[in-house]
Amino acid sequence: NRLRDGRYVSVVHRPMADSGWVTTHEDVTEVRRREESFRLLFKANPVPMWVIDWESLRFLAINDAAVTHYGYSHEKLMSMTASDLRPAEDRERFEQSMRAESKDQFVKNITRHSKADGTTIDVFVYSRALVYAGHNARLVAIHDITDRKLAEDELHRTQKFLNTVIEHVP
């Protein structure tokens, strides 16, 4: 219950065996404010983030940055699984790696994702196990490293070319 002064009070009524009731009142204002703060950190974060169910790999929550970056509507993403964001040839390997992960570990890896327009991107994935809405889940943050990887590849090609030139100069 929200009070006029803005505080939140949790009221719990419990029946007793002898036909009476016990009621408890607890001020949960701080807990509520912390939850709102964390929800805002997730929802408004500029980094694409989501929460997936560990077993089904279905999305349980998706932030606005993920919707914008991947080009799917929020509703479409919520109807998909994390496997659906992988190129077809990577899906089986991803599902096997998810089954092999310890449920309490922090995971970092580089992989590929597919956007709604079919573009394949290189991403650095950070994920952490948690319990979300009663589900064993993973919180995932995504960093698109496609441009960085292209720049590194170009640098390597240029370096290889220059090394070849230097080796053949008398």
Side-chain angles (χ1 to χ4, degrees):
N1 295 321
R2 184 177 177 160
L3 304 179
R4 288 185 197 132
D5 65 2
R7 289 181 300 135
Y8 289 92
V9 175
S10 173
V11 180
V12 178
H13 305 283
R14 296 205 174 130
M16 301 297 292
D18 64 355
S19 301
W21 286 87
V22 172
T23 302
T24 58
H25 296 79
E26 180 182 5
D27 186 339
V28 293
T29 306
E30 270 312 301
V31 171
R32 186 80 184 250
R33 286 186 181 141
R34 272 190 301 239
E35 287 174 358
E36 293 289 326
S37 178
F38 284 119
R39 199 175 348 273
L40 179 62
L41 266 173
F42 175 80
K43 183 111 176 99
N45 199 310
V47 173
M49 299 174 74
W50 51 69
V51 178
I52 59 169
D53 179 86
W54 195 293
E55 300 299 321
S56 68
L57 302 179
R58 289 232 169 260
F59 292 104
L60 300 174
I62 300 165
N63 75 354
D64 295 339
V67 170
T68 301
H69 192 75
Y70 283 83
Y72 293 99
S73 69
H74 187 268
E75 294 74 23
K76 176 66 176 169
L77 275 171
M78 290 300 290
S79 72
M80 297 169 64
T81 68
S83 294
D84 296 332
L85 290 181
R86 273 44 181 200
E89 62 273 14
D90 294 352
R91 291 178 185 164
E92 181 63 33
R93 185 175 57 238
F94 165 70
E95 290 172 12
Q96 287 173 352
S97 71
M98 284 297 292
R99 284 187 222 106
E101 286 178 6
S102 167
K103 292 203 188 295
D104 61 349
Q105 73 184 27
F106 177 72
V107 176
K108 302 185 294 188
N109 64 11
I110 295 175
T111 189
R112 299 179 318 154
H113 283 176
S114 296
K115 296 170 86 170
D117 65 3
T119 305
T120 298
I121 58 175
D122 295 297
V123 293
F124 201 108
V125 179
Y126 298 88
S127 71
R128 179 102 183 145
L130 75 148
V131 175
Y132 179 84
H135 296 265
N136 288 328
R138 290 200 76 78
L139 171 64
V140 179
I142 303 294
H143 292 281
D144 187 338
I145 60 169
T146 306
D147 291 339
R148 184 180 96 190
K149 198 164 181 204
L150 289 172
E152 287 173 355
D153 291 347
E154 182 61 30
L155 179 64
H156 287 110
R157 278 192 298 278
T158 302
Q159 192 173 27
K160 187 176 179 179
F161 172 75
L162 290 174
N163 287 341
T164 303
V165 169
I166 290 170
E167 288 174 9
H168 293 90
V169 171

